[in-house]
Amino acid sequence: MARIAGRFRRVEPRATARAYLVGLLSGVERKNCWRLTEQTGHARPGPMQRLLRSARRDADAVRDEVRAYAVEHLGSEGGVLILDETGFVKKGRSSAGVQRQYTGTAGRIENSQVGVFLAYATSRGRALIDRRLYLPEHSWCCDTKRRDAAGVPGDVQFATKPRLAWEMIAAALDAGVEAPWVTGDEAYGQDPQLRAALEAHGTGYVLAVACSIRVRINSGRTPIRADTVAGRLPEAAWHRQSAGAGAKGPRYYDWAWIDIGTDKHRHLLIRRNPTTGELAFYLCWSPTAAPLAELVRVAGTRWSVEECFQAAKGQVGLDHYQVRHWNGWHRHVTLAMLALAFLVAVTADAAPNRAEEPHHDTRGSDPIALTVPEIRHLFAAALSPSVVSPARLLHWSIWRRRHQATARRSHYRRRSADESSG
């Protein structure tokens, strides 16, 4: 709260914001104003509702503090900015930006809002550091009456999701965030304007693209589809490398890269699943030559944003809000991002010298490292009126994490045996 206290003009909304954050970090199941009010001991939900809608504060200024706080605790080693979007399924048509649209959250077209997010990932952890609510062009941007009812500011105009993504990247880089790489899925990799903006800024990227994208090989002389290039590669062109640690150990894939420019800074990166043969494609550019291992690392980092969404929704109620107003959405989401950043910072600081944990170690009885869910559980339990002793809380935490470590070692032994027999 010390980081964001100065962004509130009056003491009442400042105190309410603190109570709201404590509620987000609590164990209450649904983190809306009514439940958070009950959880934090307030008599009525009015102060929290005013905090989200009408209190005089700048949600973007608080967002700047969230970004600075996350970067400060996560450091800059191997920093990668990650682009992605997530949906918030809604009923009715009054919530700002809501319409029937595809959302990966539901896996189909639903009545929903869509938020575009920017995550920051290093070897110490990952956190959400910026957000933009996508405002559809025809159903919202051109409907003045609907905009006014939802409190959409008059200066907010239609912007594509890649455009919103670039605004967040530019803001982060201008704020001094050290991130030599950007990655994202096809929705952003297919946009030539975003790629051009990153190149003009001197920021490298590894962006997913469709198999149908056309690239130029042979020093730019031959245009060809990406999947056609993959089909012509000899087996010697593929290199098995890990794309990072997953829930079940290192994620090994076969990788190939092809020069698609006149210099050594532009590549088509191809990932092949060694089990299914499924292919994925990435366009890569960097201001200086980068080895294959670095491109693979950045490509593998893209999945960190999914972990951020899972933690933000499951731990701090990113999608639990019941607000319709433009300001309400940005204020709730920003405070949820701060709550997540707090958990990530505590987790990182609990193991400040931690590198990637060995995933094939079958010896020892040490518990797994503290995780974001475990930190939130301990925090919520410590604030509970019926809290048990700190010693008992830590005893059960160590017991859980030690059994998780035992299960993981057993899985790795079984996996190694299967790979050896195969």
Side-chain angles (χ1 to χ4, degrees):
M1 277 304 300
R3 297 296 295 257
I4 67 170
R7 302 299 186 176
F8 297 86
R9 299 186 181 184
R10 299 174 60 245
V11 66
E12 291 85 357
R14 187 183 310 148
T16 303
R18 182 187 183 280
Y20 198 91
L21 279 169
V22 170
L24 292 178
L25 291 164
S26 72
V28 64
E29 184 177 353
R30 289 295 300 173
K31 302 179 190 297
N32 54 50
C33 284
W34 289 72
R35 295 292 182 86
L36 297 187
T37 298
E38 179 184 8
Q39 174 69 22
T40 55
H42 286 206
R44 52 194 176 84
M48 286 192 179
Q49 291 171 341
R50 286 194 297 274
L51 175 73
L52 296 183
R53 172 132 190 195
S54 59
R56 299 183 65 183
R57 68 181 178 92
D58 186 347
D60 287 346
V62 177
R63 181 273 323 273
D64 292 345
E65 298 292 352
V66 174
R67 180 176 58 210
Y69 175 80
V71 172
E72 176 183 311
H73 284 271
L74 295 181
S76 60
E77 182 182 355
V80 179
L81 295 173
I82 313 169
L83 302 166
D84 205 356
E85 62 196 61
T86 189
F88 304 87
V89 177
K90 289 295 183 181
K91 296 180 180 179
R93 62 187 305 274
S94 300
S95 300
V98 71
Q99 72 168 13
R100 287 191 60 79
Q101 54 191 325
Y102 178 82
T103 168
T105 303
R108 59 183 181 273
I109 295 176
E110 283 281 0
N111 196 61
S112 61
Q113 297 169 296
V114 171
V116 181
F117 286 81
L118 183 68
Y120 180 67
T122 71
S123 59
R124 284 172 55 83
R126 67 277 301 174
L128 300 173
I129 62 171
D130 206 347
R131 73 290 177 269
R132 295 288 192 279
L133 179 60
Y134 173 68
L135 199 66
E137 181 175 12
H138 300 295
S139 60
W140 276 94
C141 290
C142 301
D143 191 332
T144 303
K145 183 177 180 180
R146 199 178 187 192
R147 288 171 58 109
D148 292 343
V152 179
D155 60 348
V156 174
Q157 302 299 321
F158 173 72
T160 64
K161 294 171 185 175
R163 176 62 191 177
L164 295 176
W166 169 245
E167 291 176 1
M168 293 189 292
I169 293 170
L173 296 177
D174 290 344
V177 177
E178 296 183 21
W181 292 101
V182 170
T183 186
D185 64 17
E186 290 182 20
Y188 306 96
Q190 294 285 127
D191 188 270
Q193 293 180 340
L194 176 59
R195 299 198 306 267
L198 289 169
E199 292 181 22
H201 201 281
T203 302
Y205 58 77
V206 179
L207 295 168
V209 292
C211 64
S212 59
I213 196 168
R214 299 185 72 83
V215 296
R216 290 183 172 273
I217 59 175
N218 298 328
S219 299
R221 295 189 300 270
T222 307
I224 188 172
R225 279 176 55 117
D227 52 0
T228 304
V229 174
R232 296 178 180 178
L233 291 175
E235 194 58 34
W238 298 93
H239 308 272
R240 183 156 299 184
Q241 296 192 22
S242 171
K248 298 181 179 180
R251 294 176 287 125
Y252 283 107
Y253 295 94
D254 296 328
W255 300 85
W257 60 335
I258 300 96
D259 292 339
I260 55 172
T262 56
D263 53 34
K264 296 295 183 180
H265 304 166
R266 194 180 304 276
H267 299 90
L268 173 68
L269 178 67
I270 308 173
R271 186 193 72 198
R272 184 178 69 185
N273 188 309
T275 303
T276 65
E278 180 183 6
L279 299 176
F281 301 86
Y282 304 83
L283 287 183
C284 310
W285 179 87
S286 58
T288 58
L292 173 62
E294 179 69 356
L295 301 182
V296 169
R297 182 188 72 84
V298 177
T301 304
R302 183 170 72 87
W303 297 104
S304 297
V305 71
E306 299 294 342
E307 297 174 359
C308 287
F309 288 148
Q310 182 179 8
K313 292 182 178 183
Q315 303 298 324
V316 297
L318 181 73
D319 59 341
H320 290 190
Y321 60 89
Q322 292 180 338
V323 294
R324 297 176 177 176
H325 202 265
W326 176 272
N327 284 343
W329 187 90
H330 286 86
R331 291 175 175 185
H332 167 82
V333 166
T334 303
L335 290 175
M337 287 165 50
L338 177 56
L340 177 63
F342 165 75
L343 294 175
V344 171
V346 174
T347 303
D349 291 345
N353 299 317
R354 182 187 65 192
E356 289 292 334
E357 295 183 20
H359 288 276
H360 288 283
D361 183 19
T362 59
R363 299 169 297 175
S365 58
D366 291 339
I368 65 170
L370 285 163
T371 62
V372 164
E374 186 68 14
I375 291 289
R376 192 203 57 87
H377 170 76
L378 292 173
F379 184 83
L383 293 180
S384 173
S386 58
V387 64
V388 298
S389 69
R392 189 160 184 80
L393 280 177
L394 294 177
H395 164 78
W396 276 104
S397 175
I398 294 171
W399 185 90
R400 282 191 299 271
R401 292 184 289 117
R402 183 166 286 141
H403 276 257
Q404 289 170 334
T406 300
R408 188 172 65 181
R409 285 192 296 270
S410 298
H411 170 78
Y412 293 154
R413 282 197 295 266
R414 185 167 57 251
R415 180 174 174 178
S416 298
D418 291 343
E419 292 175 350
S420 300
S421 61

